[in-house]
Amino acid sequence: MDWLQALILGIVQGLTEYLPVSSSGHLAIGAHLFGMSGAENLTFTIAVHVATVLSTIVILWKEIVWIFADLFKWKWNEGTKYAVNILISMIPVAIVGFFFKDTVEEIFGSGLLIVGICLLVTAALLAFSYWARPRQRENISPLHAFIIGIAQALAVLPGLSRSGSTIATGLLLGNKKERLAQFSFLMVIPPILGEALLDTKDMVEVGVSQAMAGLSPIALAIGFIAAFVSGCLACKWMINIVKKGKLIWFALYCTIVGIAAIIIPLLG
């Protein structure tokens, strides 16, 4: 991978981690087009995922400080409730990560067909959430946090957008747009870091030199910075988009890219 490819994929990861169009699906398409190997792709994926986590922390630092400040008051307050909901939302993805990691990795290696199908599913979810008009709820309940967590767990499939699935599910459940985007972005921080740790373990097992084969430190750094900067911009942008309810355009985009992902392998 050269620096230009790293720059492009870093920007793609940063944007698509927050925009409801599937970062894993786009990285899979990019890796296919650029001919990236499995080990090389794994190392780069770890770097850009950590970069997007850092961008979330930078953009939502006030909310993170508020949660921890309330937690250390050792009282049952709003921040504590919020933290408990995040923990509840992590249960489904933790189960998938611990017990079905090998199965998920096999699916990731199965080609672009599954990516295309999952992108079409993402498009359907976004469309349903746009047209649905459920009764609005003031706060996200623990039950809704768990259901949104199930959506996040299913989004380990390449092409099924993590932000798209969680936000669309929350909207269909009737949660307020103003609170939902922030909750969706904060709840993914622990799973992404956990996933990065597991991937790092796999990288160490195959050997760092082998994992870095074809990937220069400069290209890796460029990809990391690109993912961080574009992630900061996309995080702020997506919060505003959710508030305005303009998700239908992403449904159209996912439909187009999903069809393309299905057709690309057929063209050889």
Side-chain angles (χ1 to χ4, degrees):
M1 178 191 297
D2 58 34
W3 70 268
L4 182 58
Q5 292 172 338
L7 176 65
I8 294 171
L9 290 179
I11 292 173
V12 168
Q13 162 63 24
L15 292 176
T16 57
E17 184 64 48
Y18 300 102
L19 302 182
V21 294
S22 178
S23 61
S24 60
H26 280 73
L27 283 181
I29 293 172
H32 177 84
L33 294 176
F34 291 150
M36 292 172 60
S37 65
E40 179 185 5
N41 191 24
L42 175 63
T43 306
F44 187 81
T45 299
I46 293 171
V48 294
H49 275 162
V50 172
T52 49
V53 167
L54 289 177
S55 66
T56 306
I57 294 172
V58 168
I59 297 301
L60 298 178
W61 69 270
K62 290 183 181 178
E63 288 75 12
I64 295 171
V65 169
W66 163 68
I67 292 171
F68 279 101
D70 271 12
L71 275 175
F72 287 113
K73 290 178 182 176
W74 308 111
K75 295 180 180 179
W76 187 248
N77 48 39
E78 291 302 314
T80 303
K81 292 177 184 177
Y82 203 99
V84 169
N85 279 344
I86 289 177
L87 289 175
I88 291 172
S89 74
M90 290 167 51
I91 295 173
V93 75
I95 293 172
V96 171
F98 282 115
F99 298 106
F100 301 101
K101 186 175 185 293
D102 292 339
T103 303
V104 172
E105 289 177 349
E106 289 177 6
I107 295 173
F108 263 83
S110 59
L112 292 186
L113 177 61
I114 186 66
V115 173
I117 293 172
C118 287
L119 279 167
L120 295 179
V121 173
T122 298
L125 275 172
L126 294 172
F128 284 138
S129 69
Y130 178 79
W131 296 112
R133 293 293 184 269
R135 183 173 62 87
Q136 293 286 298
R137 299 174 58 92
E138 186 64 30
N139 295 306
I140 299 173
S141 68
L143 176 59
H144 283 192
F146 184 76
I147 295 173
I148 294 171
I150 293 175
Q152 176 175 244
L154 293 174
V156 299
L157 296 173
L160 193 55
S161 168
R162 194 192 316 252
S163 63
S165 298
T166 54
I167 291 172
T169 300
L171 291 174
L172 290 169
L173 291 170
N175 293 289
K176 282 196 170 183
K177 301 172 184 175
E178 295 79 3
R179 299 176 179 271
L180 192 54
Q182 288 184 356
F183 182 77
S184 174
F185 295 154
L186 288 172
M187 68 182 278
V188 305
I189 293 177
I192 290 179
L193 288 177
E195 182 182 358
L197 286 173
L198 291 175
D199 287 342
T200 301
K201 179 180 71 68
D202 293 341
M203 185 181 72
V204 172
E205 289 176 355
V206 302
V208 176
S209 58
Q210 181 179 343
M212 288 293 293
L215 182 63
S216 70
I218 294 176
L220 191 63
I222 289 174
F224 182 93
I225 295 170
F228 173 77
V229 174
S230 58
C232 288
L233 296 174
C235 185
K236 293 193 70 172
W237 185 28
M238 188 60 191
I239 291 173
N240 292 326
I241 289 173
V242 173
K243 288 179 181 178
K244 296 176 181 178
K246 302 295 184 181
L247 297 180
I248 191 64
W249 300 108
F250 294 104
L252 178 61
Y253 173 83
C254 286
T255 300
I256 295 171
V257 177
I259 293 172
I262 294 172
I263 293 176
I264 286 173
L266 300 178
L267 299 177

